[in-house]
């Protein structure tokens, strides 16, 4: 069998910073801008944020380093990569199932992620037409629920369009597709988020939003809050779903894994906190409920846009950039599956079309969760909620745990040290303890 270091036929990012942008693009998406603010609102604010940050630092970053290391060592897709690495470590070939679970998790997440991203596409068009001008929170809420969520035809249209946009990028390959898209999408997102943060600062309720996000009240935490915080740390860093492993396989050999991952983790966390600081002042300024659930982004912000000068312009740009953030993440969710089938001899274009259609079909279950299937529940969860819980709270943490075990206990120490190449042995020792225990 060919060793990992000899598998040089794999595509590669143009530079370390392209990998940083790509991994950040995978991490920064709806999880930061849509999901983080509303789960923070539902779980009491600052105490939840602290737990989340600890999960990022003590669990997310060490596992991300391990996952990038596994990807760069194997230089192939997660399924074949884990099979190869298990062989090198003289371990059971069943470790390949870790790759299988990651690829499957990314596929399942994209099926509902595409539907939510479709909401942003719809709002981009509404904003461009001036639909938010002078509207109240009640009017926006009614429009969101009755005009969008309860309209399966409309949801299917936007879900379909977003899936087409995703697969168009993936079908073009790493250099001409993923890298070109990332170079444009990420800087644009950062600029727009800075603009929104500036507006929130001038809203009059910035300190109230700041206090909500950073004040500590442990009484508002529950056991479920801890699980949600850990699950979201995996979700927002794209861990355990094969995305970081496949992106790591495209990483230049000379790039420092530790420094690069820390940069990605820092950027991802800053975006999540900035999104919270941009949204919660607007929530409080308009006497809205911070724990409003998944519709928080799509009910609160339009109210503010409708009242600010040039609101239609800012709203159009913002929801376009939310779409861009979702787009940069979605391509990483499906890339592991595409890469695996491509390694089996199928053409990338054919694979992209087939997987795109399969993911679109599964996404219809999420579409119907908000309307015609709303009353059909399993364990109290509809189809969308069940998929979200299964992936974010179970599959991703389990995948991360398996990565920790494999990198910390199964791989040969010499191999790990050589691949990660920490400049300080103390840092390496600290990472080893963290990843093992």
């Amino acid at each position: 069998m060919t060793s990992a270091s000899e598998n040089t036929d794999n595509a590669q990012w143009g530079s370390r910073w392209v990998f940083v942008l790509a991994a950040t693009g995978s991490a920064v998406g709806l999880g930061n801008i849509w999901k983080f603010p509303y789960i923070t609102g539902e779980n009491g604010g600052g105490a939840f944020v602290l737990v989340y940050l600890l999960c990022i630092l003590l669990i997310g970053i060490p596992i991300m380093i391990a996952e990038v290391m596994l990807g760069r060592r194997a230089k192939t897709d997660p399924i074949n990569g884990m099979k190869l690495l298990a062989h090198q470590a003289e371990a059971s070939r069943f470790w390949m199932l870790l790759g299988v679970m990651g690829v499957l998790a990314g596929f399942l997440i994209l099926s509902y992620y595409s539907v939510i991203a479709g909401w942003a596409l719809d709002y981009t068009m509404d904003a461009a037409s001036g639909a938010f001008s002078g509207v109240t929170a009640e009017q926006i809420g009614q429009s969101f629920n009755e005009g969008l969520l309860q309209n399966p035809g409309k949801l299917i249209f936007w879900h379909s369009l977003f899936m087409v946009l995703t697969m168009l990028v993936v079908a073009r390959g790493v250099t001409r597709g993923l890298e070109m898209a990332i170079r444009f999408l990420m800087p644009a997102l950062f600029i727009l988020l800075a603009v929104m943060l500036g507006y929130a600062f001038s809203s009059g309720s910035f300190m109230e939003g700041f206090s909500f996000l950073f004040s500590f009240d442990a009484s508002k935490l529950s056991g479920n809050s801890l699980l949600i915080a850990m699950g979201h740390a995996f979700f927002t860093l794209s861990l355990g779903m094969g995305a970081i492993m496949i992106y790591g396989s495209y990483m230049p050999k000379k790039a420092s894994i530790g420094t690069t991952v820390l940069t990605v983790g820092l950027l991802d966390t800053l975006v999540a906190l900035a999104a919270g600081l941009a949204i919660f002042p607007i929530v409080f300024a308009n006497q809205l409920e911070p724990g409003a659930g998944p519709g928080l982004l799509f009910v609160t912000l339009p109210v503010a846009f409708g009242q600010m000068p040039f609101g239609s312009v800012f709203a159009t740009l913002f929801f376009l950039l939310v779409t861009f953030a979702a787009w940069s993440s979605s391509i990483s969710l499906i890339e592991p599956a595409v890469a695996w089938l491509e390694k089996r001899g199928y053409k990338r274009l054919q694979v992209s079309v087939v997987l795109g259609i399969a993911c679109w079909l599964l996404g219809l279950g999420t579409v119907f969760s908000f309307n015609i299937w709303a009353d059909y529940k399993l364990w109290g969860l509809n189809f969308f909620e069940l998929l979200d819980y299964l992936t974010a709270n179970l599959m991703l943490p389990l995948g991360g745990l398996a990565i920790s075990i494999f990198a910390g206990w199964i791989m040969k120490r010499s191999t790990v040290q050589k691949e990660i190449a920490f400049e300080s042995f103390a840092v390496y020792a600290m990472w080893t303890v963290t990843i093992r225990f």
Side-chain angles (χ1 to χ4, degrees):
M1 181 175 286
T2 307
S3 72
S5 59
E6 290 170 348
N7 287 343
T8 55
D9 59 333
N10 215 44
Q12 196 170 89
W13 301 118
S15 68
R16 170 182 172 267
W17 277 104
V18 173
F19 171 79
V20 169
L21 286 178
T24 304
S26 175
V28 172
L30 292 177
N32 303 73
I33 302 173
W34 165 67
K35 194 174 184 181
F36 177 73
Y38 90 72
I39 61 174
T40 299
E42 289 178 334
N43 291 277
F48 176 81
V49 171
L50 179 61
V51 173
Y52 165 73
L53 292 177
L54 288 173
C55 286
I56 290 285
L57 183 64
L58 300 177
I59 303 174
I61 295 297
I63 292 177
M64 194 176 193
I65 289 173
E67 190 164 350
V68 172
M69 181 268 293
L70 295 178
R72 191 168 74 173
R73 177 70 185 171
K75 286 291 181 188
T76 186
D77 64 271
I79 297 176
N80 286 317
M82 288 309 303
K83 183 179 179 181
L84 174 63
L85 293 172
H87 174 81
Q88 288 185 343
E90 300 176 356
S92 169
R93 64 194 305 270
F94 286 108
W95 279 104
M96 182 180 70
L97 295 177
L98 169 58
V100 173
M101 185 168 69
V103 170
L104 179 60
F107 181 85
L108 293 176
I109 290 171
L110 181 58
S111 73
Y112 67 79
Y113 198 88
S114 175
V115 178
I116 310 301
W119 300 356
L121 280 171
D122 179 66
Y123 267 56
T124 302
M125 300 305 295
D126 284 350
S129 67
F132 300 150
S133 299
V135 295
T136 65
E138 186 178 352
Q139 288 172 322
I140 284 290
Q142 186 176 8
S143 173
F144 177 66
N145 286 308
E146 297 178 11
L148 183 61
L149 296 191
Q150 294 175 28
N151 187 337
K154 198 173 186 180
L155 289 179
I156 290 172
F157 172 78
W158 292 117
H159 166 51
S160 304
L161 179 58
F162 187 80
M163 280 303 307
V164 169
L165 290 173
T166 298
M167 302 320 294
L168 279 175
V169 173
V170 174
R172 288 175 59 83
V174 175
T175 306
R176 294 189 305 122
L178 277 65
E179 186 168 319
M180 284 182 65
I182 292 299
R183 284 179 183 271
F184 167 73
L185 295 176
M186 295 317 298
L189 174 66
F190 295 145
I191 292 169
L192 259 292
L193 195 54
V195 171
M196 284 303 303
L197 204 54
Y199 172 73
F201 189 75
S202 64
S203 69
S205 297
F206 185 80
M207 290 312 298
E208 193 176 353
F210 184 91
S211 176
F212 177 78
L213 201 58
F214 294 108
S215 294
F216 185 81
D217 183 0
S219 67
K220 295 180 180 178
L221 284 176
S222 65
N224 194 48
S225 298
L226 303 181
L227 183 62
I228 290 171
M230 183 178 68
H232 190 65
F234 280 88
F235 184 90
T236 190
L237 288 177
S238 299
L239 301 177
M241 58 181 78
I244 296 301
M245 198 180 295
I246 192 68
Y247 276 15
S249 76
Y250 304 146
M251 186 178 181
K253 199 71 177 175
K254 293 181 180 179
S256 166
I257 292 178
T259 305
T260 304
V261 168
L262 282 173
T263 305
V264 172
L266 179 62
L267 287 173
D268 176 70
T269 303
L270 286 176
V271 169
L273 294 176
L277 287 173
I279 291 172
F280 286 123
I282 298 170
V283 171
F284 292 118
N286 291 277
Q287 290 81 52
L288 298 169
E289 173 54 51
L296 183 64
L297 178 69
F298 297 94
V299 175
T300 58
L301 286 181
V303 174
F305 287 130
Q307 297 171 356
M308 61 193 285
F310 306 106
S312 294
V313 174
F314 281 110
T316 303
L317 290 174
F318 179 77
F319 283 107
L320 184 62
L321 267 297
V322 173
T323 304
F324 285 174
W327 197 5
S328 68
S329 295
S330 67
I331 57 181
S332 72
L333 291 170
I334 198 70
E335 176 65 18
V338 171
W340 175 60
L341 289 173
E342 192 179 23
K343 292 289 184 184
R344 295 178 68 86
Y346 299 102
K347 293 184 178 179
R348 177 171 275 261
L349 178 60
Q350 295 172 335
V351 168
S352 299
V353 170
V354 171
L355 287 176
I357 292 173
C359 201
W360 177 84
L361 286 170
L362 185 61
L364 295 181
T366 294
V367 167
F368 299 145
S369 295
F370 298 105
N371 36 75
I372 60 177
W373 287 359
D375 295 329
Y376 294 99
K377 297 190 176 183
L378 187 63
W379 301 305
L381 304 173
N382 63 30
F383 187 87
F384 161 64
E385 292 166 339
L386 192 63
L387 268 188
D388 184 37
Y389 188 87
L390 175 68
T391 53
N393 290 2
L394 297 177
M395 293 180 76
L396 302 191
L398 282 175
L401 176 63
I403 288 169
S404 297
I405 293 171
F406 189 83
W409 295 97
I410 305 300
M411 286 186 76
K412 295 176 181 177
R413 295 297 89 213
S414 57
T415 302
V416 174
Q417 280 183 297
K418 179 182 178 182
E419 197 61 48
I420 295 183
F422 282 123
E423 293 182 5
S424 164
F425 181 78
V427 174
Y428 170 75
M430 187 166 60
W431 173 82
T432 302
V433 170
T434 308
I435 204 72
R436 284 187 168 192
F437 301 107

PDB file of all heavy atoms in Angstrom, residues 72-98:
ATOM      1  N   ARG A  72      -4.138  15.965   6.280  1.00  0.00           N
ATOM      2  CA  ARG A  72      -2.901  16.248   5.550  1.00  0.00           C
ATOM      3  C   ARG A  72      -2.008  15.024   5.467  1.00  0.00           C
ATOM      4  O   ARG A  72      -1.311  14.813   4.463  1.00  0.00           O
ATOM      5  CB  ARG A  72      -2.143  17.410   6.204  1.00  0.00           C
ATOM      6  CG  ARG A  72      -1.010  17.901   5.324  1.00  0.00           C
ATOM      7  CD  ARG A  72      -0.422  19.211   5.774  1.00  0.00           C
ATOM      8  NE  ARG A  72       0.404  19.062   6.966  1.00  0.00           N
ATOM      9  CZ  ARG A  72       1.145  20.060   7.479  1.00  0.00           C
ATOM     10  NH1 ARG A  72       1.122  21.255   6.915  1.00  0.00           N
ATOM     11  NH2 ARG A  72       1.872  19.864   8.557  1.00  0.00           N
ATOM     12  N   ARG A  73      -2.041  14.193   6.505  1.00  0.00           N
ATOM     13  CA  ARG A  73      -1.235  12.975   6.490  1.00  0.00           C
ATOM     14  C   ARG A  73      -1.737  12.005   5.417  1.00  0.00           C
ATOM     15  O   ARG A  73      -0.955  11.411   4.680  1.00  0.00           O
ATOM     16  CB  ARG A  73      -1.302  12.304   7.865  1.00  0.00           C
ATOM     17  CG  ARG A  73      -0.567  10.982   7.973  1.00  0.00           C
ATOM     18  CD  ARG A  73       0.922  11.161   7.915  1.00  0.00           C
ATOM     19  NE  ARG A  73       1.626   9.893   7.899  1.00  0.00           N
ATOM     20  CZ  ARG A  73       2.928   9.767   7.678  1.00  0.00           C
ATOM     21  NH1 ARG A  73       3.663  10.843   7.439  1.00  0.00           N
ATOM     22  NH2 ARG A  73       3.515   8.593   7.684  1.00  0.00           N
ATOM     23  N   ALA A  74      -3.062  11.877   5.313  1.00  0.00           N
ATOM     24  CA  ALA A  74      -3.635  10.899   4.383  1.00  0.00           C
ATOM     25  C   ALA A  74      -3.653  11.390   2.944  1.00  0.00           C
ATOM     26  O   ALA A  74      -3.544  10.606   2.006  1.00  0.00           O
ATOM     27  CB  ALA A  74      -5.059  10.553   4.822  1.00  0.00           C
ATOM     28  N   LYS A  75      -3.832  12.721   2.745  1.00  0.00           N
ATOM     29  CA  LYS A  75      -3.883  13.314   1.408  1.00  0.00           C
ATOM     30  C   LYS A  75      -4.963  12.700   0.519  1.00  0.00           C
ATOM     31  O   LYS A  75      -4.760  12.493  -0.679  1.00  0.00           O
ATOM     32  CB  LYS A  75      -2.517  13.188   0.713  1.00  0.00           C
ATOM     33  CG  LYS A  75      -1.441  14.115   1.236  1.00  0.00           C
ATOM     34  CD  LYS A  75      -1.755  15.555   0.885  1.00  0.00           C
ATOM     35  CE  LYS A  75      -0.663  16.509   1.383  1.00  0.00           C
ATOM     36  NZ  LYS A  75      -1.070  17.919   1.207  1.00  0.00           N
ATOM     37  N   THR A  76      -6.110  12.386   1.138  1.00  0.00           N
ATOM     38  CA  THR A  76      -7.214  11.842   0.351  1.00  0.00           C
ATOM     39  C   THR A  76      -8.510  12.101   1.119  1.00  0.00           C
ATOM     40  O   THR A  76      -8.504  12.783   2.144  1.00  0.00           O
ATOM     41  CB  THR A  76      -6.997  10.343   0.065  1.00  0.00           C
ATOM     42  OG1 THR A  76      -8.022   9.888  -0.833  1.00  0.00           O
ATOM     43  CG2 THR A  76      -7.026   9.507   1.341  1.00  0.00           C
ATOM     44  N   ASP A  77      -9.625  11.556   0.642  1.00  0.00           N
ATOM     45  CA  ASP A  77     -10.917  11.772   1.278  1.00  0.00           C
ATOM     46  C   ASP A  77     -10.973  11.072   2.643  1.00  0.00           C
ATOM     47  O   ASP A  77     -10.161  10.188   2.929  1.00  0.00           O
ATOM     48  CB  ASP A  77     -12.039  11.250   0.373  1.00  0.00           C
ATOM     49  CG  ASP A  77     -11.942   9.752   0.168  1.00  0.00           C
ATOM     50  OD1 ASP A  77     -11.248   9.326  -0.776  1.00  0.00           O
ATOM     51  OD2 ASP A  77     -12.541   9.007   0.966  1.00  0.00           O
ATOM     52  N   PRO A  78     -11.934  11.455   3.506  1.00  0.00           N
ATOM     53  CA  PRO A  78     -11.970  10.898   4.869  1.00  0.00           C
ATOM     54  C   PRO A  78     -12.115   9.385   4.940  1.00  0.00           C
ATOM     55  O   PRO A  78     -11.517   8.753   5.810  1.00  0.00           O
ATOM     56  CB  PRO A  78     -13.203  11.591   5.486  1.00  0.00           C
ATOM     57  CG  PRO A  78     -13.304  12.886   4.756  1.00  0.00           C
ATOM     58  CD  PRO A  78     -12.891  12.571   3.350  1.00  0.00           C
ATOM     59  N   ILE A  79     -12.891   8.786   4.053  1.00  0.00           N
ATOM     60  CA  ILE A  79     -13.109   7.331   4.119  1.00  0.00           C
ATOM     61  C   ILE A  79     -11.835   6.572   3.760  1.00  0.00           C
ATOM     62  O   ILE A  79     -11.347   5.728   4.527  1.00  0.00           O
ATOM     63  CB  ILE A  79     -14.268   6.915   3.199  1.00  0.00           C
ATOM     64  CG1 ILE A  79     -15.580   7.576   3.678  1.00  0.00           C
ATOM     65  CG2 ILE A  79     -14.418   5.392   3.166  1.00  0.00           C
ATOM     66  CD1 ILE A  79     -16.772   7.313   2.781  1.00  0.00           C
ATOM     67  N   ASN A  80     -11.254   6.879   2.602  1.00  0.00           N
ATOM     68  CA  ASN A  80     -10.007   6.227   2.206  1.00  0.00           C
ATOM     69  C   ASN A  80      -8.862   6.647   3.120  1.00  0.00           C
ATOM     70  O   ASN A  80      -7.941   5.865   3.387  1.00  0.00           O
ATOM     71  CB  ASN A  80      -9.664   6.583   0.751  1.00  0.00           C
ATOM     72  CG  ASN A  80     -10.555   5.866  -0.233  1.00  0.00           C
ATOM     73  OD1 ASN A  80     -10.828   4.680  -0.096  1.00  0.00           O
ATOM     74  ND2 ASN A  80     -11.047   6.585  -1.235  1.00  0.00           N
ATOM     75  N   GLY A  81      -8.937   7.903   3.605  1.00  0.00           N
ATOM     76  CA  GLY A  81      -7.895   8.410   4.485  1.00  0.00           C
ATOM     77  C   GLY A  81      -7.827   7.640   5.790  1.00  0.00           C
ATOM     78  O   GLY A  81      -6.738   7.255   6.242  1.00  0.00           O
ATOM     79  N   MET A  82      -8.982   7.401   6.419  1.00  0.00           N
ATOM     80  CA  MET A  82      -8.990   6.654   7.674  1.00  0.00           C
ATOM     81  C   MET A  82      -8.582   5.197   7.453  1.00  0.00           C
ATOM     82  O   MET A  82      -7.922   4.594   8.307  1.00  0.00           O
ATOM     83  CB  MET A  82     -10.370   6.729   8.329  1.00  0.00           C
ATOM     84  CG  MET A  82     -10.712   8.090   8.920  1.00  0.00           C
ATOM     85  SD  MET A  82      -9.422   8.761  10.019  1.00  0.00           S
ATOM     86  CE  MET A  82      -9.266   7.433  11.234  1.00  0.00           C
ATOM     87  N   LYS A  83      -8.934   4.649   6.322  1.00  0.00           N
ATOM     88  CA  LYS A  83      -8.516   3.275   5.990  1.00  0.00           C
ATOM     89  C   LYS A  83      -6.989   3.204   5.874  1.00  0.00           C
ATOM     90  O   LYS A  83      -6.344   2.284   6.410  1.00  0.00           O
ATOM     91  CB  LYS A  83      -9.171   2.854   4.674  1.00  0.00           C
ATOM     92  CG  LYS A  83      -8.883   1.431   4.245  1.00  0.00           C
ATOM     93  CD  LYS A  83      -9.614   1.113   2.943  1.00  0.00           C
ATOM     94  CE  LYS A  83      -9.307  -0.318   2.481  1.00  0.00           C
ATOM     95  NZ  LYS A  83     -10.005  -0.622   1.196  1.00  0.00           N
ATOM     96  N   LEU A  84      -6.405   4.204   5.201  1.00  0.00           N
ATOM     97  CA  LEU A  84      -4.959   4.260   5.017  1.00  0.00           C
ATOM     98  C   LEU A  84      -4.230   4.485   6.339  1.00  0.00           C
ATOM     99  O   LEU A  84      -3.256   3.801   6.663  1.00  0.00           O
ATOM    100  CB  LEU A  84      -4.623   5.390   4.036  1.00  0.00           C
ATOM    101  CG  LEU A  84      -3.147   5.716   3.804  1.00  0.00           C
ATOM    102  CD1 LEU A  84      -2.422   4.528   3.194  1.00  0.00           C
ATOM    103  CD2 LEU A  84      -3.012   6.949   2.925  1.00  0.00           C
ATOM    104  N   LEU A  85      -4.727   5.437   7.136  1.00  0.00           N
ATOM    105  CA  LEU A  85      -4.080   5.768   8.404  1.00  0.00           C
ATOM    106  C   LEU A  85      -4.183   4.618   9.406  1.00  0.00           C
ATOM    107  O   LEU A  85      -3.254   4.380  10.183  1.00  0.00           O
ATOM    108  CB  LEU A  85      -4.693   7.043   8.991  1.00  0.00           C
ATOM    109  CG  LEU A  85      -4.427   8.328   8.188  1.00  0.00           C
ATOM    110  CD1 LEU A  85      -5.237   9.483   8.743  1.00  0.00           C
ATOM    111  CD2 LEU A  85      -2.940   8.670   8.178  1.00  0.00           C
ATOM    112  N   ALA A  86      -5.308   3.905   9.396  1.00  0.00           N
ATOM    113  CA  ALA A  86      -5.466   2.736  10.270  1.00  0.00           C
ATOM    114  C   ALA A  86      -4.452   1.648   9.890  1.00  0.00           C
ATOM    115  O   ALA A  86      -3.873   0.988  10.756  1.00  0.00           O
ATOM    116  CB  ALA A  86      -6.886   2.198  10.183  1.00  0.00           C
ATOM    117  N   HIS A  87      -4.248   1.477   8.583  1.00  0.00           N
ATOM    118  CA  HIS A  87      -3.262   0.492   8.109  1.00  0.00           C
ATOM    119  C   HIS A  87      -1.860   0.869   8.591  1.00  0.00           C
ATOM    120  O   HIS A  87      -1.104   0.018   9.062  1.00  0.00           O
ATOM    121  CB  HIS A  87      -3.297   0.422   6.586  1.00  0.00           C
ATOM    122  CG  HIS A  87      -2.229  -0.460   5.997  1.00  0.00           C
ATOM    123  ND1 HIS A  87      -2.363  -1.833   5.928  1.00  0.00           N
ATOM    124  CD2 HIS A  87      -1.001  -0.166   5.473  1.00  0.00           C
ATOM    125  CE1 HIS A  87      -1.271  -2.352   5.383  1.00  0.00           C
ATOM    126  NE2 HIS A  87      -0.431  -1.359   5.091  1.00  0.00           N
ATOM    127  N   GLN A  88      -1.517   2.169   8.480  1.00  0.00           N
ATOM    128  CA  GLN A  88      -0.196   2.627   8.917  1.00  0.00           C
ATOM    129  C   GLN A  88      -0.001   2.417  10.423  1.00  0.00           C
ATOM    130  O   GLN A  88       1.099   2.090  10.878  1.00  0.00           O
ATOM    131  CB  GLN A  88      -0.023   4.117   8.603  1.00  0.00           C
ATOM    132  CG  GLN A  88       0.161   4.416   7.132  1.00  0.00           C
ATOM    133  CD  GLN A  88       0.446   5.888   6.894  1.00  0.00           C
ATOM    134  OE1 GLN A  88       0.196   6.718   7.766  1.00  0.00           O
ATOM    135  NE2 GLN A  88       0.951   6.202   5.722  1.00  0.00           N
ATOM    136  N   ALA A  89      -1.089   2.610  11.166  1.00  0.00           N
ATOM    137  CA  ALA A  89      -1.002   2.488  12.618  1.00  0.00           C
ATOM    138  C   ALA A  89      -1.185   1.042  13.085  1.00  0.00           C
ATOM    139  O   ALA A  89      -1.180   0.770  14.294  1.00  0.00           O
ATOM    140  CB  ALA A  89      -2.062   3.373  13.272  1.00  0.00           C
ATOM    141  N   GLU A  90      -1.363   0.129  12.110  1.00  0.00           N
ATOM    142  CA  GLU A  90      -1.587  -1.288  12.402  1.00  0.00           C
ATOM    143  C   GLU A  90      -2.806  -1.464  13.316  1.00  0.00           C
ATOM    144  O   GLU A  90      -2.797  -2.259  14.261  1.00  0.00           O
ATOM    145  CB  GLU A  90      -0.331  -1.914  13.038  1.00  0.00           C
ATOM    146  CG  GLU A  90       0.892  -1.830  12.118  1.00  0.00           C
ATOM    147  CD  GLU A  90       2.158  -2.360  12.783  1.00  0.00           C
ATOM    148  OE1 GLU A  90       2.085  -2.718  13.982  1.00  0.00           O
ATOM    149  OE2 GLU A  90       3.196  -2.421  12.110  1.00  0.00           O
ATOM    150  N   ALA A  91      -3.844  -0.689  12.997  1.00  0.00           N
ATOM    151  CA  ALA A  91      -5.090  -0.720  13.779  1.00  0.00           C
ATOM    152  C   ALA A  91      -6.194  -1.359  12.952  1.00  0.00           C
ATOM    153  O   ALA A  91      -6.026  -1.662  11.764  1.00  0.00           O
ATOM    154  CB  ALA A  91      -5.481   0.701  14.190  1.00  0.00           C
ATOM    155  N   SER A  92      -7.353  -1.542  13.567  1.00  0.00           N
ATOM    156  CA  SER A  92      -8.491  -2.162  12.898  1.00  0.00           C
ATOM    157  C   SER A  92      -8.945  -1.343  11.692  1.00  0.00           C
ATOM    158  O   SER A  92      -8.999  -0.109  11.743  1.00  0.00           O
ATOM    159  CB  SER A  92      -9.660  -2.305  13.881  1.00  0.00           C
ATOM    160  OG  SER A  92     -10.851  -2.659  13.196  1.00  0.00           O
ATOM    161  N   ARG A  93      -9.302  -2.043  10.608  1.00  0.00           N
ATOM    162  CA  ARG A  93      -9.810  -1.350   9.418  1.00  0.00           C
ATOM    163  C   ARG A  93     -11.174  -0.729   9.669  1.00  0.00           C
ATOM    164  O   ARG A  93     -11.654   0.092   8.867  1.00  0.00           O
ATOM    165  CB  ARG A  93      -9.876  -2.327   8.243  1.00  0.00           C
ATOM    166  CG  ARG A  93     -10.840  -3.478   8.439  1.00  0.00           C
ATOM    167  CD  ARG A  93     -10.595  -4.567   7.386  1.00  0.00           C
ATOM    168  NE  ARG A  93     -10.658  -4.049   6.044  1.00  0.00           N
ATOM    169  CZ  ARG A  93     -11.784  -4.002   5.320  1.00  0.00           C
ATOM    170  NH1 ARG A  93     -12.924  -4.437   5.844  1.00  0.00           N
ATOM    171  NH2 ARG A  93     -11.772  -3.534   4.092  1.00  0.00           N
ATOM    172  N   PHE A  94     -11.808  -1.064  10.789  1.00  0.00           N
ATOM    173  CA  PHE A  94     -13.107  -0.478  11.104  1.00  0.00           C
ATOM    174  C   PHE A  94     -13.013   1.013  11.436  1.00  0.00           C
ATOM    175  O   PHE A  94     -14.038   1.694  11.542  1.00  0.00           O
ATOM    176  CB  PHE A  94     -13.780  -1.236  12.255  1.00  0.00           C
ATOM    177  CG  PHE A  94     -14.318  -2.570  11.853  1.00  0.00           C
ATOM    178  CD1 PHE A  94     -13.695  -3.747  12.268  1.00  0.00           C
ATOM    179  CD2 PHE A  94     -15.439  -2.670  11.036  1.00  0.00           C
ATOM    180  CE1 PHE A  94     -14.179  -4.982  11.882  1.00  0.00           C
ATOM    181  CE2 PHE A  94     -15.930  -3.901  10.647  1.00  0.00           C
ATOM    182  CZ  PHE A  94     -15.304  -5.067  11.070  1.00  0.00           C
ATOM    183  N   TRP A  95     -11.790   1.517  11.612  1.00  0.00           N
ATOM    184  CA  TRP A  95     -11.627   2.965  11.785  1.00  0.00           C
ATOM    185  C   TRP A  95     -12.103   3.723  10.547  1.00  0.00           C
ATOM    186  O   TRP A  95     -12.371   4.926  10.606  1.00  0.00           O
ATOM    187  CB  TRP A  95     -10.176   3.309  12.101  1.00  0.00           C
ATOM    188  CG  TRP A  95      -9.840   3.105  13.541  1.00  0.00           C
ATOM    189  CD1 TRP A  95      -9.127   2.070  14.096  1.00  0.00           C
ATOM    190  CD2 TRP A  95     -10.225   3.950  14.636  1.00  0.00           C
ATOM    191  NE1 TRP A  95      -9.040   2.211  15.459  1.00  0.00           N
ATOM    192  CE2 TRP A  95      -9.709   3.361  15.826  1.00  0.00           C
ATOM    193  CE3 TRP A  95     -10.950   5.128  14.739  1.00  0.00           C
ATOM    194  CZ2 TRP A  95      -9.897   3.932  17.074  1.00  0.00           C
ATOM    195  CZ3 TRP A  95     -11.140   5.694  15.986  1.00  0.00           C
ATOM    196  CH2 TRP A  95     -10.624   5.106  17.133  1.00  0.00           C
ATOM    197  N   MET A  96     -12.206   3.022   9.437  1.00  0.00           N
ATOM    198  CA  MET A  96     -12.736   3.631   8.222  1.00  0.00           C
ATOM    199  C   MET A  96     -14.155   4.167   8.444  1.00  0.00           C
ATOM    200  O   MET A  96     -14.595   5.125   7.807  1.00  0.00           O
ATOM    201  CB  MET A  96     -12.735   2.599   7.084  1.00  0.00           C
ATOM    202  CG  MET A  96     -13.233   3.127   5.746  1.00  0.00           C
ATOM    203  SD  MET A  96     -13.209   1.859   4.448  1.00  0.00           S
ATOM    204  CE  MET A  96     -14.551   0.790   5.006  1.00  0.00           C
ATOM    205  N   LEU A  97     -14.878   3.551   9.405  1.00  0.00           N
ATOM    206  CA  LEU A  97     -16.247   3.981   9.691  1.00  0.00           C
ATOM    207  C   LEU A  97     -16.297   5.401  10.241  1.00  0.00           C
ATOM    208  O   LEU A  97     -17.329   6.077  10.121  1.00  0.00           O
ATOM    209  CB  LEU A  97     -16.908   3.012  10.684  1.00  0.00           C
ATOM    210  CG  LEU A  97     -17.131   1.584  10.174  1.00  0.00           C
ATOM    211  CD1 LEU A  97     -17.728   0.715  11.274  1.00  0.00           C
ATOM    212  CD2 LEU A  97     -18.048   1.594   8.950  1.00  0.00           C
ATOM    213  N   LEU A  98     -15.192   5.855  10.837  1.00  0.00           N
ATOM    214  CA  LEU A  98     -15.122   7.247  11.275  1.00  0.00           C
ATOM    215  C   LEU A  98     -15.249   8.178  10.074  1.00  0.00           C
ATOM    216  O   LEU A  98     -15.967   9.187  10.124  1.00  0.00           O
ATOM    217  CB  LEU A  98     -13.803   7.499  12.011  1.00  0.00           C
ATOM    218  CG  LEU A  98     -13.429   8.959  12.325  1.00  0.00           C
ATOM    219  CD1 LEU A  98     -14.517   9.630  13.155  1.00  0.00           C
ATOM    220  CD2 LEU A  98     -12.084   9.021  13.035  1.00  0.00           C
TER     221      LEU A  98
END
